[in-house]
Amino acid sequence: PLPRSGRHCTSLGHEPIECARPTTLPPDPLIQLRQLTLARGARRLIESASLQIHAGWRVGLVGANGSGKSSLFALLQGELHPEGGDCLVPRDWRIASVGQETPALPQPAVEFVLDGDVALRAAEREIAAAEQGRDGHRLAEAHARLAAIDGYAARSRAATLLAGLGFAPADLERPVADFSGGWRMRLNLARALLSRAELLLLDEPTNHLDLDAVVWLERWLAGYRGTLLLVSHDRDFLDACVTHVAHIENQRLTLYSGNYSSFEEQRAARLAGQQAMFEKQQREIAHITQFVERFKAKATKARQAQSRLKALDRLERVAPAHVDMPFDFEFPAPARAPSPLLTLEDAALGYAERTVLEGVQLTLPPGSRLGLLGANGAGKSTLIRAIAGELPPVRGRRVEGYGLVTGYFAQHQLEHLRPDESPLQHLVRLDPTARELELRSYLGHFD
């Protein structure tokens, strides 16, 4: 039976709230998909899907790029309509997601994050209106409402969220416009986590986070009391956060219990079982076909042969198990590898206003595989930029091996892309002398 408060996703009737921990949940509410078909344009993404997601479940949504994960999020927020079937969400649930764009606002970072708590801001406006109207009774009620939602501790909660996501105490009062695109995404994430949403939708929330912030977010989400739908390609992150996995494959949406590792085991067992059934059925089909071919011309066996032929026609065929080919590409081998590749000798690294690292001694031999760890602001990006040759040492020496070529993928590399360019145009700009066929083949390696 559907919850009494059920509503159709096609008539949510409000803008999606930019998204936190709900105070209470209605009894046994759930999201229900019934024979749902979802499409983008002429392309069908999900066909005849039926499943239930109960309140408090943390569901990882996985599938190949373009399989329909973000489209399902858009459906839940009322931005898309189903081609067929139903998508029902409890009517009184507030839905939260992370905004993809943040304008260059003069507003302090902490105030921007607090705007995500709609109930808090409503109570504050009510207090301000009561004070202006000098209405003592209304003012008392407004303060009681603020206390009921623990509004007096809201700024402390916002500061804790921002600290967990890597912001320093001094950053709280900095204007949003001062932050780079990656840090503004973190502000959007903090704003989502602070809101009082019953349904939290997170699409790749770790993309702009360092390791410390990812570990902090894992712990926060593991204690989240609302319902979570999470898209991520980080299996460790999914393992730490989710209680269920919804998998989109071949236009089917299948729900599994457990974390991502459990999902892989269950799916492997299902595929193995399906393949075994397929092979068994193929042997049975071959046996029946052989019998029919052998005896269809014999008068004494013709009726039996005809009966088996009809049974073969009625047989529901089992499809062979299919596993998508893994993404595969390789780094081209360098023409030569000097030894050492690069040396930093007693280097001081930093910027005109301050030095970040002192006395750096580093030698990189060919074949090295190094992981670089450290807190925000410790100097990781500064050191990488110095190694890449983008940032000359303040003091000391940087010595390259003869013929060294360095590839560099920066933390905010996406900010260097031009949104109006196609992938092919982007590569042409990087290498105008390359042939178009060569560039298309190269892009093909990345699917």
Side-chain angles (χ1 to χ4, degrees):
L2 297 179
R4 289 197 192 95
S5 57
R7 69 167 178 228
H8 223 281
C9 273
T10 54
S11 57
L12 293 180
H14 62 76
E15 290 295 318
I17 300 168
E18 285 202 32
C19 220
R21 301 183 186 242
T23 51
T24 59
L25 290 171
D28 194 32
L30 53 84
I31 298 168
Q32 187 170 53
L33 308 183
R34 298 187 309 184
Q35 292 297 308
L36 177 76
T37 297
L38 182 62
R40 283 274 193 179
R43 185 181 171 211
R44 297 225 162 169
L45 302 171
I46 298 172
E47 187 84 45
S48 301
S50 295
L51 58 82
Q52 293 180 346
I53 297 173
H54 289 261
W57 284 10
R58 300 190 301 275
V59 181
L61 185 58
V62 301
N65 286 327
S67 61
K69 301 185 296 294
S70 296
S71 296
L72 186 57
F73 274 19
L75 174 72
L76 289 168
Q77 294 180 96
E79 297 167 3
L80 270 185
H81 301 287
E83 291 291 304
D86 299 306
C87 169
L88 295 130
V89 179
R91 185 178 302 279
D92 52 356
W93 272 18
R94 292 159 294 186
I95 302 174
S97 63
V98 179
Q100 296 303 307
E101 299 291 337
T102 310
L105 301 169
Q107 185 181 25
V110 69
E111 296 297 332
F112 175 80
V113 171
L114 285 168
D115 283 348
D117 191 338
V118 176
L120 171 74
R121 290 309 198 199
E124 289 176 342
R125 285 194 298 272
E126 183 66 13
I127 288 171
E131 287 176 342
Q132 189 173 6
R134 298 185 180 182
D135 185 336
H137 180 70
R138 183 183 177 190
L139 182 61
E141 286 185 339
H143 275 289
R145 202 171 302 128
L146 186 64
I149 63 172
D150 199 20
Y152 295 108
R155 183 170 287 267
S156 173
R157 289 198 301 274
T160 301
L161 284 173
L162 289 168
L165 293 174
F167 290 87
D171 292 333
L172 270 61
E173 300 300 330
R174 285 177 56 195
V176 172
D178 281 4
F179 295 95
S180 67
W183 284 95
R184 289 187 201 174
M185 288 302 297
R186 295 194 194 202
L187 288 174
N188 280 338
L189 177 57
R191 180 170 169 154
L193 300 182
L194 191 73
S195 67
R196 300 171 189 273
E198 284 77 20
L199 175 60
L200 178 57
L201 307 176
L202 296 182
D203 193 346
E204 293 288 357
T206 61
N207 276 357
H208 295 275
L209 303 184
D210 57 21
L211 184 59
D212 290 340
V214 169
V215 171
W216 176 88
L217 183 60
E218 282 179 2
R219 292 173 184 159
W220 194 95
L221 292 175
Y224 179 63
R225 293 173 295 178
T227 305
L228 170 69
L229 262 66
L230 169 67
V231 173
S232 177
H233 294 290
D234 184 336
R235 60 182 300 151
D236 293 326
F237 185 70
L238 286 168
D239 270 348
C241 296
V242 304
T243 59
H244 296 75
V245 170
H247 182 220
I248 304 176
E249 183 182 39
N250 298 327
Q251 299 179 338
R252 295 180 179 272
L253 181 59
T254 309
L255 187 67
Y256 296 81
S257 294
N259 62 12
Y260 185 83
S261 295
S262 174
F263 149 71
E264 283 206 326
E265 292 171 4
Q266 293 176 65
R267 179 171 177 248
R270 182 180 64 79
L271 289 173
Q274 181 180 338
Q275 186 64 21
M277 287 176 61
F278 169 75
E279 291 171 1
K280 180 182 177 181
Q281 188 181 68
Q282 290 301 303
R283 290 193 296 270
E284 185 182 347
I285 290 171
H287 178 72
I288 294 173
T289 304
Q290 188 179 26
F291 180 90
V292 170
E293 290 296 325
R294 185 178 175 185
F295 294 113
K296 66 181 179 181
K298 287 193 175 183
T300 56
K301 295 282 188 178
R303 182 172 291 180
Q304 272 184 280
Q306 192 66 26
S307 175
R308 293 197 183 189
L309 190 61
K310 288 179 180 177
L312 190 62
D313 290 338
R314 291 194 302 268
L315 190 66
E316 187 175 341
R317 302 299 174 103
V318 177
H322 171 74
V323 179
D324 291 333
M325 291 296 290
F327 176 73
D328 185 37
F329 76 97
E330 60 184 30
F331 293 100
R336 63 190 308 277
S339 184
L341 299 171
L342 178 138
T343 303
L344 293 174
E345 298 177 353
D346 197 26
L349 307 177
Y351 309 90
E353 64 277 10
R354 68 187 183 101
T355 300
V356 179
L357 296 169
E358 291 273 9
V360 177
Q361 300 283 359
L362 179 66
T363 300
L364 293 179
S368 300
R369 306 284 193 273
L370 302 182
L372 185 56
L373 302 179
N376 282 320
K380 301 186 297 295
S381 296
T382 300
L383 178 57
I384 288 289
R385 290 186 65 200
I387 292 172
E390 286 206 346
L391 186 69
V394 178
R395 290 186 301 278
R397 294 204 314 149
R398 175 186 179 278
V399 182
E400 283 188 1
Y402 179 72
L404 176 71
V405 177
T406 305
Y408 177 45
F409 184 81
Q411 182 181 9
H412 301 301
Q413 190 77 27
L414 294 179
E415 294 177 7
H416 300 298
L417 296 178
R418 298 179 182 176
D420 58 330
E421 281 186 345
S422 69
L424 184 61
Q425 289 170 328
H426 177 71
L427 290 192
V428 167
R429 179 164 54 83
L430 293 178
D431 189 356
T433 62
R435 293 181 302 128
E436 182 176 322
L437 182 62
E438 222 178 319
L439 298 180
R440 288 184 178 276
S441 173
Y442 183 76
L443 287 168
H445 292 161
F446 293 85
D447 285 354

